[in-house]
Amino acid sequence: MDRGGRRSIAPSRKNIAGLNSGSMQVWIFRHADAEESSESGKDEDRALTRDGVRRAAAVGRGLAELQPGIEAILTSPYRRARETARVAAQALGLAKVVDSRSLEPGRDPKAVARELEQSGWRAALLVGHQPLLGEIIGFLVFGDPRREVPLRKASVAHVSWTPAGGGALEALYPADVLVRLGAA
């Protein structure tokens, strides 16, 4: 319960990084609001809006409150995703963000899974775009990228995944929930 007697929106403030030990914890963050177009006219150059930067930072703080144990951040090299990843990294206290071409729009979700499998990480954050992120969730959980789980802008999904055994969708966090959690 919170101070107002309402039920808390957070599952727990304890460290949830060890959930389903033996599996990798994959956190999936769709970029925040971006410009409609860039000066260059290229989609990959679209920046976050001012509100998008604020929202990504607030969501990042909410994610940090969950103590997810994230060891690495992989991001699409597109500007709006890199900017979202950068503010998430600050909130999580991580110095390094790695660009991954496998997170560019239109890529094969299986390529991301291979990259995760080879990494050796226990927990990673992926930052990118729809519909690819939803397809990645579908592949990790159901073994089928056609079973896409859509993500709204600045929302986060949490999947426990074992490459040989499949995955479980642990949570879908709407941006507003993480913003409130980060402000608590």
Side-chain angles (χ1 to χ4, degrees):
M1 294 285 192
D2 68 8
R3 285 174 248 135
R6 295 179 305 255
R7 195 165 167 225
S8 174
I9 59 172
S12 163
R13 297 271 173 139
K14 67 180 182 173
N15 186 319
I16 60 176
L19 191 63
N20 292 337
S21 76
S23 61
M24 175 183 275
Q25 303 308 303
V26 183
W27 298 81
I28 301 167
F29 188 173
R30 183 176 177 196
H31 69 78
D33 287 331
E35 301 169 323
E36 290 297 319
S37 62
S38 67
E39 286 185 23
S40 73
K42 295 179 181 177
D43 183 50
E44 59 264 27
D45 294 337
R46 290 174 42 219
L48 292 180
T49 63
R50 195 171 295 148
D51 285 340
V53 172
R54 281 194 290 266
R55 189 137 175 103
V59 167
R61 287 189 298 273
L63 182 58
E65 283 294 316
L66 294 173
Q67 300 178 18
I70 292 169
E71 301 171 82
I73 298 176
L74 293 178
T75 184
S76 160
Y78 283 29
R79 182 176 177 182
R80 60 194 178 272
R82 284 193 336 265
E83 290 174 347
T84 299
R86 190 174 26 247
V87 296
Q90 287 177 322
L92 292 164
L94 295 172
K96 190 172 182 183
V97 173
V98 178
D99 282 0
S100 173
R101 297 213 46 200
S102 65
L103 286 164
E104 290 178 337
R107 296 291 179 147
D108 184 352
K110 295 172 191 169
V112 176
R114 280 191 300 274
E115 194 168 349
L116 290 171
E117 186 174 7
Q118 294 169 0
S119 73
W121 298 315
R122 291 181 311 266
L125 176 65
L126 309 178
V127 182
H129 318 271
Q130 271 301 106
L132 177 60
L133 294 179
E135 293 167 352
I136 291 168
I137 297 168
F139 180 73
L140 296 178
V141 174
F142 304 111
D144 184 353
R146 295 172 300 179
R147 295 184 69 184
E148 174 192 344
V149 177
L151 289 176
R152 295 177 85 87
K153 288 184 181 163
S155 62
V156 175
H158 174 206
V159 175
S160 293
W161 179 64
T162 305
L169 180 60
E170 301 290 349
L172 284 173
Y173 295 99
D176 289 343
V177 169
L178 289 168
V179 167
R180 287 192 312 243
L181 185 58

